[in-house]
Amino acid sequence: MSEREFGFDTLAIHAGAQPDPATGARATPIYQTTSFVFDDTQHAADLFALRAFGNIYTRIMNPTQAVLEAKVAALEEGTAALAVGSGHAAQLLVFQLLLQPGDEFIAARQLYGGSINQFNHSFKSFGWNVVWADAEDPASFEAALSDKTKAIFIESIANPGGRITDMQAIAKIARKADVPLIVDNTLATPYLCKPLDHGANIVVHSLTKFMGGHGNSMGGVIVDGGNFDWSVGDKYPLLSEPNASYNGMILYETFGNIAFAIAARVLGLRDLGPAISPTNAFNILTGMETLSLRMQRHCDNALKVAEWLAAHDEVAWVNYAGLKDNAHHALHKKYCPKGAGAVFTFGLKGGYDMGVKVVSNVELISHLANVGDTRSLIIHPASTTHSQLSPKQLEQAGATPDVVRLSIGIEDADDIIADLAQAMKA
Ligand SMILES: Cc1ncc(COP(=O)(O)O)c(C=O)c1O
């Protein structure tokens, strides 16, 4: 093809993909195989020693997965990406490369409840200590820094509150402290916001949500920004020191600005094993071809539903950054001007009881624990996704007992509104 730099929508369809060299198949095939035949013993030895790139075994790499990785890297404008089995697996692999037992990382309190849980409990059992800060107050990240801090973690648009994080302010603090800023861009997707443009060093996603977009496949991804010096202060030995499992190879020295993605694959994925299945990679990369169309419709619908709710007598409050009077409206205009996403919360004047009734009475909208489906979804976070949190943590995460969370789908907005109206009336 020509040297032309393609636009986002063209990349969403074509990046990473080409007609299958063996069969000419135009859609990316599902390479449903565990392993790949070597050319000869030298080829096998070169692959194992990282002297050559290529497929060995699907736990580490697979051609369907590779297309998904190239597509995500192109859309996020990173240097490389690694697809894994879920969003949580992506987070596990990122921190496993960065932290030694006893190390700390700073995370925003305004996160998906499952991430708060992962950090507070499972990560602690590895000796990785989370220190919480307030995404509403970037200075709190600076105050939380210590000589053990190895990373900062935030969400671009926070789940469930739909709050938009001031990424540039927090990136400045991370840069000064010489630690990488990791941004979970699940709710925004690169269609709405590219964290690497705002100072992030690593981007993670749950591909299970808007990226795949159809509620049918689990996946996660790590995007390497290629913009962090992993040799700084000898803080990241897995990247900057000789690796015993590769005959003393120094991964950062060898792979430069794709070293993080390579290390996540050849150490994290190889040894911890949370691979994505080829079929899930196929489903997600197919979904990604329509990312722009879907995300714009998600956002347009979400704004219509939020405006309707805000004008409803039974509704106490609506927290959607797309609404002009919302505290995060200016951050929405700055970081994701095409739309404020499709996940937001609202509360009813009847409080918890009324919220539970509305969740029980919807018919078109599905009551389930997910976001980012073509279908509209509803849940009561305090009793489900965020149920492990204390009352204080619930408040900080934007998930108090009166809160109802919506993930607005791409149906006709009038039908979504009519369903909420009948549920409230009932
Ligand atoms: C913002 C965010 N990050 C990460 C995750 C975890 O992703 P997964 O369920 O694919 O492990 C979720 C899941 O809901 C999420 O909403």
Side-chain angles (χ1 to χ4, degrees), residues 86-88 91 112 155 159 184 186-187 206 208-209 218-219:
S86 69
H88 266 15
Q91 292 169 195
Y112 162 57
E155 289 178 6
N159 180 4
D184 179 344
T186 298
L187 261 51
S206 167
T208 318
K209 319 295 175 194
M218 300 294 298

Side-chain angles (χ1 to χ4, degrees), residues 310-325:
H312 197 287
D313 283 347
E314 298 290 337
V315 173
W317 54 267
V318 182
N319 187 21
Y320 183 56
L323 295 176
K324 288 201 175 64
D325 60 354

Side-chain angles (χ1 to χ4, degrees), residues 25-369:
R26 190 62 189 89
T28 297
I30 304 171
Y31 287 93
Q32 192 65 45
T33 180
T34 56
S35 13
F36 302 83
V37 175
F38 304 118
D39 298 344
D40 50 39
T41 49
Q42 185 61 47
H43 179 223
D46 287 346
L47 290 175
F48 271 85
L50 303 183
R51 285 189 298 268
F53 277 112
N55 298 303
I56 300 175
Y57 187 59
T58 286
R59 167 152 45 76
I60 302 166
M61 190 163 158
N62 173 286
T64 315
Q65 172 192 353
V67 175
L68 173 61
E69 287 163 348
K71 203 179 285 298
V72 178
L75 295 185
E76 286 286 8
E77 295 182 45
T79 51
L82 174 71
V84 293
S86 69
H88 266 15
Q91 292 169 195
L92 171 67
L93 262 53
V94 164
F95 284 106
Q96 194 262 341
L97 276 186
L98 299 178
L99 304 183
Q100 303 294 313
D103 282 345
E104 291 176 1
F105 66 102
I106 304 171
R109 287 192 189 98
Q110 295 84 349
L111 295 185
Y112 162 57
S115 298
I116 297 177
N117 232 11
Q118 187 187 41
F119 297 172
N120 264 341
H121 301 291
S122 294
F123 279 14
K124 287 233 166 98
S125 72
F126 302 148
W128 307 341
N129 298 316
V130 61
V131 180
W132 296 105
D134 184 359
E136 306 276 342
D137 173 20
S140 68
F141 286 80
E142 189 149 28
L145 287 167
S146 82
D147 56 6
K148 293 191 183 131
T149 307
K150 294 289 170 67
I152 295 180
F153 185 95
I154 57 176
E155 289 178 6
S156 50
I157 301 183
N159 180 4
R163 294 163 172 165
I164 301 190
T165 308
D166 190 350
M167 281 178 276
Q168 289 176 11
I170 298 170
K172 211 164 140 191
I173 294 162
R175 221 169 19 250
K176 226 170 95 190
D178 279 330
V179 298
L181 175 65
I182 306 154
V183 177
D184 179 344
N185 201 30
T186 298
L187 261 51
T189 81
Y191 173 72
L192 294 180
C193 166
K194 294 186 190 175
L196 296 176
D197 285 348
H198 302 294
N201 305 104
I202 295 163
V203 177
V204 292
H205 281 271
S206 167
L207 297 174
T208 318
K209 319 295 175 194
F210 295 96
M211 293 285 257
H214 294 72
N216 59 19
S217 299
M218 300 294 298
V221 74
I222 300 164
V223 182
D224 190 342
N227 56 359
F228 191 83
D229 177 4
W230 298 112
S231 65
V232 67
D234 298 329
K235 282 194 280 196
Y236 306 101
L238 287 175
L239 291 142
S240 67
E241 288 180 12
N243 193 286
S245 71
Y246 285 108
N247 293 321
M249 180 184 274
I250 298 174
L251 293 173
Y252 184 41
E253 201 177 85
T254 309
F255 296 107
N257 71 355
I258 57 168
F260 193 86
I262 296 276
R265 183 189 306 281
V266 303
L267 301 177
L269 196 52
R270 181 194 67 174
D271 295 349
L272 303 178
I276 188 167
S277 80
T279 301
N280 282 358
F282 170 82
N283 289 337
I284 292 168
L285 70 87
T286 304
M288 280 178 60
E289 293 185 2
T290 54
L291 182 65
S292 301
L293 301 173
R294 287 186 292 102
M295 279 314 286
Q296 195 57 59
R297 177 67 169 261
H298 277 294
C299 293
D300 295 349
N301 277 359
L303 183 58
K304 283 184 197 159
V305 174
E307 282 171 345
W308 178 82
L309 283 168
H312 197 287
D313 283 347
E314 298 290 337
V315 173
W317 54 267
V318 182
N319 187 21
Y320 183 56
L323 295 176
K324 288 201 175 64
D325 60 354
N326 187 273
H328 287 242
H329 193 69
L331 288 172
H332 146 50
K333 290 289 172 199
K334 177 172 180 181
Y335 288 110
C336 38
K338 284 186 276 194
V343 177
F344 67 91
T345 51
F346 71 100
L348 290 144
K349 287 187 182 150
Y352 175 85
D353 292 340
M354 177 77 167
V356 167
K357 277 190 191 141
V358 169
V359 170
S360 314
N361 286 330
V362 287
E363 290 169 359
L364 178 72
I365 303 173
S366 304
H367 175 204
L368 54 74

